[in-house]
Amino acid sequence: MTEDLEPQRFTLTRADLVRYAGASGDFNPIHWSDRVAGAVGLPGVIAHGMLTLGLVGSAVAAWTGEAEVLELGAKFTAPVVVPDDEQGVVVEVVATKVTRTEETTTIAMEVRCGADKVLGMPKAVVRG
């Protein structure tokens, strides 16, 4: 049932983190400073959690033709570490189960950055 939903891949660079910080108002230096990220025990600069969840929303929109989202949620389980280079890092969103009723479609997903699952139990419910 998920075979018709192509995995969605999104590349994040440090420039994307800067743009997201400006849009969201979240200027926490763990999202732009290697020094600060390391000082607090992180493996490097990390993407904003809500930016990562936003990528899930983009995948759902692509799969559903931008259907109305009724629910979107996940647990943040691992950071998305974004290197200081032009290539960035790829976040992949894969649908693992689709359940349809007369009124809604529920999509369970897996979200990875490399070998790491970065979101736990990501799920969207859309109208239709």
Side-chain angles (χ1 to χ4, degrees):
M1 193 168 250
T2 59
E3 55 278 345
D4 59 333
L5 301 180
E6 285 281 322
Q8 300 293 303
R9 291 174 187 86
F10 304 92
T11 300
L12 288 177
T13 65
R14 293 276 179 99
D16 295 315
L17 302 187
V18 170
R19 284 189 285 277
Y20 186 82
S24 69
D26 181 352
F27 296 101
N28 187 322
I30 65 171
H31 302 303
W32 55 268
S33 170
D34 285 303
R35 180 181 51 80
V36 173
V40 299
L42 293 168
V45 166
I46 63 170
H48 302 73
M50 292 307 292
L51 173 56
T52 306
L53 187 58
L55 298 177
V56 172
S58 293
V60 170
W63 290 327
T64 65
E66 300 192 16
E68 178 185 1
V69 176
L70 304 174
E71 292 178 37
L72 179 66
K75 294 181 180 194
F76 300 104
T77 56
V80 173
V81 180
V82 181
D84 188 11
D85 62 22
E86 299 303 316
Q87 290 75 42
V89 68
V90 174
V91 175
E92 182 178 58
V93 183
V94 177
T96 57
K97 183 177 181 185
V98 176
T99 307
R100 292 182 173 87
T101 68
E102 204 169 291
E103 292 135 11
T104 63
T105 299
T106 301
I107 305 170
M109 293 159 274
E110 186 172 279
V111 181
R112 291 188 171 274
C113 182
D116 297 326
K117 281 187 182 181
V118 295
L119 295 179
M121 301 185 316
K123 179 182 93 168
V125 179
V126 299
R127 189 173 311 282

